[in-house]
Amino acid sequence: MKISKLTVTPVATHDQPLLNSTGVHESFRERTIVQIETDDGYTGAGETHAYKAQEIEANRDWIVGHDPQQMTQARLLWKGTPQGWSAVETAMLDAAAKKAEMPLCDYIGGRARDSVEWAAYLFYKFADENGQGEIATGAALDPEGFVKQAEDFVERYGFKALKIKGGFFEPDVDIETFRLLRKRFPKQDGYEIRIDPNAVWTIDTSIRVAKELEQYDPQYLEDPTDSIADHAEVKKHTDIPTASNMCVSAFSHVKPNAQLEGIDVILGDHHHWGGILAYKETGVLCRVMGWGLSGHSNNSLGISQAAMLHSCAATPELNYQPDTHYPWTDTDGDIIKGGKLQFKDGVMEVPDKPGLGVEIDEDALGTLAEALKMGPPSNRKEMILDIDPTAVPRDGSWTGYNFPNYAKPRW
Ligand code: GKR
Ligand code: MG
């Protein structure tokens, strides 16, 4: 089995005006899609963040001709970022698992579960300019609006874990949102609530917020503040577990976290940590260290969502509901055949088919590749300035959605 063809396609997909600590999501979110074909007739697909096409192309020479079953060698040959590798690895595992006639999670050693339970990823947001989207296309600009959005997500998808993306408004607004959400979704009814302001609170603010939230029994505090050491300070004052996808987001962060004990729950992510096999390895580290394991998410299409599904199904240590942005992907905005993957009762089933279990719809892929050429058609910066004329870009840009530099605490 040898890879005979490699195709890398940058695409853009519509995104709603979701608010986070650095601004607003632009109207289009870019992704990079990898496709391979093998000389014995199998195909494989992978997906990752924007701007990874060039580094994947730079590996073309060894990828074409490589046996996708030889994954250890492929990991050694890769030159580039973990994010770029994750798409190539996913495509190789997809093709190799198809040849083995096994679902991907079984091909890499077997599943710990047949389905995965996810968390609702809830945002303050503006209304989408064109009312476009699968869910919650209207505004949610205060705690009441946020609870309404949560109700929509729970009613439509059945999520039991709810994540507040905080850090856009001042901390007292996030506290009020948490209070109202907990009132509406009580712990005794099986609901978990977590909050993530993407490290914009100081140590003192994080402690103050933690003290206020203790009465509402948060599942965890995700990246309230800026570093492993700062989380260790916060932990001296509260028993709420800390979680992170910012200060512990790579294998090189494991040792400092073991030394400083700042983060209790790791949000693994096959894109950031370097592939589906790396997600499993993160699980082993969490088991050894006694840390919890959850899942991080960025906007994704069906290939990444399926890769996350198999990663989570194959990792026994997963013990918190992983995040998923997937509901924010438009109903007709995905690139997989047969429509979007579905949640039921907060859960997504592992597809029964060999490989990832999803196939690329070439027409839909072409449409999103064309959309990229149009460039971002919105000016959502104006929306922010409308509600906060004093707003300034944190990192010198208004891209807002992918944290080129993590923001420093401001509250
Ligand atoms: O999509 O705005 C967002 C999120 O805030 C994302 O950019 C983060 O990477 O989901 C992420 C997180 O949990 O920090
Ligand atoms: Mg986070």
Side-chain angles (χ1 to χ4, degrees), residues 121 163 165 196-198 222-223 243-246 267 296 323:
Y121 203 142
K163 166 160 166 165
K165 173 54 56 164
D196 173 14
N198 284 112
E222 181 178 328
D223 289 307
S244 182
N245 64 276
M246 292 173 75
L267 273 74
H296 169 255
D323 294 345

Side-chain angles (χ1 to χ4, degrees), residues 36-361:
I36 59 169
E37 288 174 29
T38 65
D39 57 359
D40 49 357
Y42 295 95
T43 59
E47 174 187 337
T48 191
H49 303 167
Y51 314 121
K52 294 295 162 196
Q54 211 177 348
E55 72 173 61
I56 296 169
E57 288 292 354
N59 283 268
R60 172 178 288 280
D61 278 359
W62 70 262
I63 293 174
V64 176
H66 190 81
D67 178 349
Q69 300 164 119
Q70 297 300 325
M71 193 50 71
T72 305
Q73 279 195 5
R75 290 176 92 175
L76 292 170
L77 286 165
W78 172 256
K79 287 199 174 39
T81 60
Q83 291 87 348
W85 166 246
S86 70
V88 175
E89 188 214 57
T90 302
M92 287 191 188
L93 290 174
D94 185 23
K98 282 177 186 162
K99 184 177 171 87
E101 298 184 359
M102 297 166 96
L104 195 156
C105 60
D106 295 323
Y107 175 72
I108 59 173
R111 63 183 74 195
R113 48 187 78 79
D114 292 324
S115 60
V116 175
E117 186 187 347
W118 305 83
Y121 203 142
L122 308 169
F123 285 80
Y124 302 104
K125 67 185 287 287
F126 299 117
D128 187 76
E129 302 89 331
N130 305 311
Q132 217 177 320
E134 173 168 306
I135 190 165
T137 55
L141 289 167
D142 54 23
E144 291 75 17
F146 202 97
V147 172
K148 172 81 186 53
Q149 183 188 111
E151 287 171 347
D152 286 352
F153 270 67
V154 168
E155 191 185 321
R156 183 187 281 237
Y157 308 113
F159 294 120
K160 285 287 205 179
L162 312 174
K163 166 160 166 165
I164 301 171
K165 173 54 56 164
F168 179 78
F169 293 110
E170 59 184 55
D172 285 333
V173 176
D174 283 342
I175 293 171
E176 177 62 3
T177 296
F178 205 113
R179 185 185 75 79
L180 289 184
L181 212 52
R182 178 47 95 202
K183 196 169 162 211
R184 176 68 185 79
F185 296 103
K187 178 94 169 174
Q188 59 267 30
D189 292 352
Y191 291 100
E192 296 286 359
I193 308 177
R194 54 183 81 163
I195 182 163
D196 173 14
N198 284 112
V200 290
W201 299 337
T202 61
I203 296 175
D204 285 349
T205 300
S206 302
I207 294 168
R208 176 174 82 78
V209 176
K211 290 280 164 215
E212 291 271 359
L213 294 185
E214 274 167 3
Q215 59 190 310
Y216 310 123
D217 211 348
Q219 193 179 27
Y220 52 64
L221 275 183
E222 181 178 328
D223 289 307
T225 195
D226 206 22
S227 66
I228 297 172
D230 288 1
H231 283 89
E233 280 303 310
V234 174
K235 271 169 60 66
K236 289 180 189 162
H237 301 268
T238 180
D239 290 334
I240 304 172
T242 52
S244 182
N245 64 276
M246 292 173 75
C247 61
V248 183
S249 58
F251 288 105
S252 58
H253 303 153
V254 168
K255 196 167 171 188
N257 195 44
Q259 285 163 340
L260 296 169
E261 298 185 355
I263 299 298
D264 301 310
V265 180
I266 309 299
L267 273 74
D269 182 335
H270 76 282
H271 306 92
H272 284 282
W273 289 70
I276 295 172
L277 299 177
Y279 188 84
K280 276 177 71 80
E281 291 161 359
T282 315
V284 174
L285 282 169
C286 287
R287 167 155 41 92
V288 172
M289 299 308 304
W291 300 333
L293 179 65
S294 185
H296 169 255
S297 158
N298 275 120
N299 287 57
S300 69
L301 298 168
I303 301 295
S304 271
Q305 177 63 32
M308 287 159 64
L309 177 60
H310 283 277
S311 308
C312 291
T315 305
E317 292 83 3
L318 178 75
N319 52 1
Y320 289 89
Q321 303 90 340
D323 294 345
T324 176
H325 275 69
Y326 195 55
W328 294 111
T329 299
D330 292 3
T331 315
D332 59 358
D334 207 344
I335 52 167
I336 57 174
K337 285 182 183 162
K340 284 180 68 179
L341 294 162
Q342 297 295 313
F343 299 97
K344 189 164 179 282
D345 299 328
V347 160
M348 189 175 274
E349 301 288 330
V350 175
D352 224 5
K353 300 173 192 147
L356 279 174
V358 291
E359 293 296 332
I360 288 185
D361 175 330

